[in-house]
Every structure is written in structure tokens, then in C-alpha cells.
Amino acid sequence: MSDEFNSKSAEELAKKYKLSPSQIVPTSKKGKITINDVREAHKKTKKLAPSKKSPSSKKSPSSKKSSSSHKKTKKSSSPKSSGWNIEIELDPILEVKFNRSLNNMNEFKKWYNEMLPLLNQRGLFGDPTALVNIKSVVVKNETTINIKLKVNNITESEADLLISEIKENLHGTNVLVDLKYNGDIVFVKNRNTYVKSPEYIPGYDAEDDEPNFQLVYPKNLKKKISKL
């Protein structure tokens, strides 16, 4: 991955849109290019692109016939991109130590069920009909979650881009988990409305009863892609 980008998925998206780093304005504090920076640069280049329409000109019957034949050949040789079944197995982790238990994995499951639909709002694909459909999110054991998705009208490289997005950038500003002192976690749908239940634990002051919000990170991700 280039040092100019903050993630591999941002670099892949820039390549997809045929944008060089010099065409993208980074907005992160570290000065590295994010996925949102790439999308903004792509929007600007689309606005600045000249119209492809040109004045119509008369063509001879033979040229029209040739053009029609060319269009048919092009259509048959360039079918619409297909869709994919995507299966991912991952171990969700936090930046701090927590209990590995089925109860905690079920809290992670709630987190993924909330976050995965947000992928449709991130403009990963050129085709607006290419929506991510969640088939299942299943707790496999005390360490692993299995996720099955279906996406129509995308290429295989876009399917890989989607997996990179899940691995590197599936973080929301409000959708988090609260880590308790005993190592258990609680799924938090919105940190602005969440109120933590008081925990009267010896050795902790009242100020320690504030929520300890944590972001979820995937680890040991395994993927499987197959055509619909």
C-alpha cells in the first residue's frame, strides 16, 4: 500500500476512478488520503468532465449499418457485471482486553448487523443498483463470526474492495460497544442517547461509572467469493 493513502481500500478506489494522489486533497490530520477524499475528488472530476454529446451528423446507409453491427458486437462482448455471494469469517477484537464468550460475541453480532447496511451509503460502486444484502450474521463460537452477503451488479475486483472496506473501515461514529469492568461488552446503537447502568464495584470512583466506548476491529479475516 502506498504511504500516501491511509488504507488499501482507499488506494484501490483511487485506481478504480483513475485518480492520482496529486488529484486528491487529503483531509485527515496525518495528511493521508482517505476513502472519502477519493470520493470527493471523483465527484469534482465528474463535474469538470466535458460533455460527451456532439452534434449529430448524417451518415450513409452503409455507415449506419456498420455502426449498428458494431453496437451489437460491443453489447455481446461486454455483458453487464455479475453479482457475487460473499462469505467472511472474522474474529472481532477491541484495542483493549475483554472476555471471549458467547454473550460478548452476540453483542458483536448486533454491532455488525447495525453496521453492514451502512456500506450501501458509502458509494463503493459505480452502479447505484449494486446494493449489499445481508444473508446472515452468525456467531460460530467464542471467537468467530460468520457473515454472508449478496451483492448484484458488481465485478470481482469490486467484491474485493467491499471486503477491504469491511476489514479496514467498518467504523461508525455512534455505533460502538461499551466495555464493562468485568470484561463484558454491551452493544451501543447511539452513544448520544446511551446511559450506562451504575456499577458499584469496590475500588472504583463514581467517575469510573462513565461508559467506556470502544471501536470494533476485525482480525484473522477469511473470505470466500462465488458467482450468483
Side-chain angles (χ1 to χ4, degrees), residues 9 23 26 58 62 82 88 126-127 142 150 185 192 216:
S9 52
Q23 294 175 283
K58 293 183 179 180
S62 60
S82 58
I88 302 169
D127 189 336
E142 289 87 350
K150 182 176 73 173
I185 64 170
N192 297 323
V216 180

Side-chain angles (χ1 to χ4, degrees), residues 10-222:
E11 185 176 17
E12 289 295 324
L13 191 61
K15 288 179 181 177
K16 176 189 169 186
Y17 291 148
K18 297 179 180 178
L19 294 171
S20 64
S22 61
Q23 294 175 283
I24 308 168
V25 179
T27 57
S28 66
K29 291 181 179 179
K30 294 183 179 180
K32 293 196 174 185
I33 297 169
T34 66
I35 276 193
N36 287 332
D37 296 334
V38 177
R39 294 194 191 108
E40 288 301 316
H42 178 57
K43 288 178 186 176
K44 290 178 182 178
T45 54
K46 283 177 69 177
K47 288 179 181 178
L48 294 173
S51 173
K52 294 182 180 180
K53 292 182 179 179
S54 59
S56 59
S57 58
K58 293 183 179 180
K59 294 182 180 179
S60 64
S62 60
S63 65
K64 286 183 179 179
K65 186 176 180 180
S66 174
S67 176
S68 175
S69 174
H70 174 70
K71 286 180 181 178
K72 287 181 181 178
T73 304
K74 187 177 180 182
K75 185 175 181 181
S76 61
S77 62
S78 303
K80 193 172 184 180
S81 57
S82 58
W84 302 86
N85 287 310
I86 297 173
E87 184 174 354
I88 302 169
E89 279 195 358
L90 50 82
D91 302 347
I93 62 170
L94 305 176
E95 287 187 325
V96 293
K97 188 176 180 180
F98 66 96
N99 290 334
R100 286 290 184 181
S101 66
L102 288 176
N103 284 339
N104 275 353
M105 293 300 287
N106 277 302
E107 293 300 309
F108 282 130
K109 175 183 174 180
K110 295 176 187 176
W111 190 89
Y112 281 107
N113 273 319
E114 189 69 24
M115 290 301 299
L116 289 169
L118 298 183
L119 292 166
N120 290 325
Q121 301 173 19
R122 300 196 176 185
L124 291 176
F125 315 113
D127 189 336
T129 65
L131 298 178
V132 178
N133 297 300
I134 305 171
K135 295 172 70 176
S136 64
V137 180
V138 177
V139 173
K140 192 172 180 181
N141 50 44
E142 289 87 350
T143 62
T144 307
I145 285 181
N146 180 279
I147 298 172
K148 291 182 181 178
L149 308 170
K150 182 176 73 173
V151 194
N152 294 310
N153 302 327
I154 66 169
T155 61
E156 188 171 8
S157 61
E158 287 176 323
D160 280 324
L161 179 64
L162 172 67
I163 292 171
S164 296
E165 179 82 349
I166 292 172
K167 184 178 180 181
E168 298 179 29
N169 296 289
L170 196 61
H171 300 152
T173 54
N174 285 328
V175 184
L176 307 166
V177 295
D178 175 24
L179 178 67
K180 294 184 175 183
Y181 302 119
N182 62 0
D184 288 340
I185 64 170
V186 178
F187 165 71
V188 178
K189 187 169 183 178
N190 190 321
R191 69 183 298 168
N192 297 323
T193 57
Y194 173 74
V195 179
K196 184 175 182 179
S197 299
E199 295 180 9
Y200 300 103
I201 300 177
Y204 286 101
D205 296 328
E207 62 190 28
D208 291 319
D209 290 328
E210 291 298 317
N212 181 7
F213 291 124
Q214 299 288 327
L215 279 174
V216 180
Y217 296 89
K219 180 185 176 184
N220 301 330
L221 184 145
K222 298 177 182 178

